[in-house]
Every structure is written in C-alpha cells, then in structure tokens.
Amino acid sequence: MDFTQALIERTRRLRDEVDRLSFSYDGYIYNPLDYAWTMHEAYLKRYVRQSASVLFLGMNPGPFGMMQTGVPFGEVNAVRSYLKLSLPVQKPKNEHPGRPVEGMNIKRSEGSGKRLWGLISKRWPDPDDFFKDHCIFNYCPLGFLDCGKTAKNFTPDHLPKDERKALEDVCDSYLRDIIDLIDPKALIGIGKYAQAKLEAVNDDKTRIVSSIIHPSPGNPQANVDWNGKTEEKMKELGLWN
C-alpha cells in the first residue's frame, strides 16, 4: 500500500472509531470526517506528503472552519482560493439549528484559519511549496457545540474524565500512526494543548517538539502581531529561514 492510500485508510479508521464512542455531552457533536469526507480526503490526497519535515497540529474543528469545509483550520476563502479545493459537503445527522453546515457556501470567515493560512500563503504563494515540507492536522476530528442559541464551541478537554480518555486513546493512536507514516523532524502544536498531545505520543527524542501561539481571535496573545511572533518562533527553532 502506498503512502497516500495508507494515510486515507488510517483516517477512515479514525472516523469510524470516534463514531462508535458514546458521550453524555448535552449538545451537538459534528464529525466532518463523515459529512465532509470528500473534502477531507481531497485535502489528504493533494496536500499531505511523506516529504513533510514539519507537522503542525491543531486541537479540533472550529464551527466556521473544519466543521464547514472538512479541512483543518478550513477558513472557506483560504480553502477555495489558496488550496483550490471546493467539493460538495453533506449535513451532519444531528444539526444545531443555529449552526447549520453550509459547506463551501458559508459566508462567515473563521478567524484562526484566516490568520494561519494568511501567513502561509504570504510566505508560500504556491501551496505546493509549503506542503513539500509541512503538513497540518487536527488532533481530534469532532466538533462540540452546546445547545444554546449561540451554539458555543465546547472543547474536548472539558469532557468527563472517562469519556475524554476514551476519545484521547483513539486520537493518540491515530496521531502516533500519522507521525510514523510521515516521520517528520519537527512536531509543532498550534497552541499548548496540541503541544502536550505531541509530547505524549512522540517516541523519537531527536525530534523538535514545540508550539506556536494559537491564532484564535479569542486568544489575547494572538491579537498583537501573530504573524511576526509565529515567524520569529519558527526561525528560532531553525525550521524557517
């Protein structure tokens, strides 16, 4: 089995394993690996390469990013214009009335993805040049939304301990296998939570394991020169010129 096929098969397994988990969470759970699989598969096929020496890891899908487009940090304009991906996205089985999945038709921009892909596209106008040496994944494929009108985003680290452990066991296993498949020299968390997950599964102590500031507009640190801080950190680690 070649690299891309192995990657896709392993990601299908992740999708099915998280679908089999049970949660007491009183809200809505979206799995874009189900209803946006065509987009996610296209992203894996086109942009995840065994040559990647730097693996970036986010936490889980945002309501206006990957929950809509199936792409990690998938701000719709970046996905369409920079990544040149635009395929039909279906609907989750149980959809929050205040947070419908509109796929590539969504009008709202996702702040974290806009910042992340904005910096990447500025440094690498051709995405193939970026993905030759980098890849981007999310740790957990599930998005959690509470029942309120605002459909507040609920992060998986707030799940009850036993349910969180069951989910993390599945996600840790996937992350280990992806790292084994790609064998990058550096693992970079997009935020401290993701860095902790990378540290927990990394078996190769020669690898660089670190993090950049999470680009969310809800993170005060990210709202002052996020681009500059991120470039400085990556240069400090010896990963960007």
Side-chain angles (χ1 to χ4, degrees):
M1 188 183 297
D2 72 9
F3 167 76
T4 300
Q5 193 56 41
L7 174 69
I8 289 167
E9 288 300 321
R10 186 61 186 88
T11 306
R12 283 198 184 107
R13 203 173 109 206
L14 170 70
R15 176 193 65 191
D16 297 343
E17 286 174 346
V18 295
D19 280 344
R20 286 195 288 269
L21 295 173
S22 297
F23 299 99
S24 58
Y25 173 64
D26 183 23
Y28 293 77
I29 301 173
Y30 287 18
N31 184 359
L33 299 189
D34 285 323
Y35 61 84
W37 174 252
T38 54
M39 279 289 285
H40 192 75
E41 183 181 37
Y43 167 77
L44 295 178
K45 281 182 175 177
R46 186 160 175 182
Y47 291 123
V48 180
R49 300 172 190 170
Q50 206 165 12
S51 62
S53 59
V54 180
L55 184 150
F56 284 107
L57 186 74
M59 185 155 82
N60 74 314
F64 306 107
M66 187 172 172
M67 279 194 218
Q68 299 290 335
T69 65
V71 174
F73 291 88
E75 196 270 338
V76 66
N77 298 304
V79 171
R80 183 186 293 112
S81 302
Y82 182 61
L83 300 179
K84 301 290 193 294
L85 295 174
S86 186
L87 293 165
V89 172
Q90 307 303 314
K91 292 277 193 178
K93 289 177 184 174
N94 192 19
E95 189 177 59
H96 193 302
R99 192 67 72 235
V101 169
E102 300 174 74
M104 298 303 292
N105 295 317
I106 190 167
K107 299 292 188 278
R108 183 161 172 176
S109 176
E110 203 261 344
S112 298
K114 186 175 183 179
R115 273 192 179 139
L116 181 66
W117 293 113
L119 172 60
I120 290 167
S121 62
K122 183 181 171 186
R123 287 184 62 95
W124 292 272
D126 182 341
D128 286 328
D129 291 334
F130 172 75
F131 285 105
K132 194 185 303 173
D133 299 310
H134 304 79
C135 58
I136 302 179
F137 287 87
N138 268 329
Y139 172 70
C140 170
L142 300 181
F144 296 83
L145 301 168
D146 74 17
C147 289
K149 282 186 180 179
T150 60
K152 186 179 176 184
N153 195 27
F154 176 93
T155 53
D157 52 317
H158 291 100
L159 289 168
K161 187 176 179 181
D162 58 335
E163 295 176 16
R164 187 180 74 239
K165 185 180 184 307
L167 177 59
E168 287 178 338
D169 285 349
V170 169
C171 295
D172 284 349
S173 175
Y174 177 72
L175 184 56
R176 275 194 196 93
D177 289 346
I178 293 306
I179 291 169
D180 285 347
L181 270 173
I182 299 170
D183 193 23
K185 72 175 187 181
L187 306 173
I188 307 297
I190 301 174
K192 291 293 186 184
Y193 176 92
Q195 178 183 351
K197 295 302 168 192
L198 290 166
E199 287 171 343
V201 303
N202 178 46
D203 296 325
D204 182 350
K205 301 311 175 188
T206 67
R207 282 196 186 104
I208 295 166
V209 184
S210 190
S211 64
I212 57 172
I213 296 167
H214 196 286
S216 170
N219 178 5
Q221 279 188 290
N223 292 328
V224 180
D225 192 22
W226 181 83
N227 279 16
K229 290 173 182 173
T230 300
E231 290 186 297
E232 184 181 348
K233 179 70 179 205
M234 293 300 288
K235 287 174 184 174
E236 180 189 304
L237 292 168
L239 299 174
W240 287 2
N241 296 326

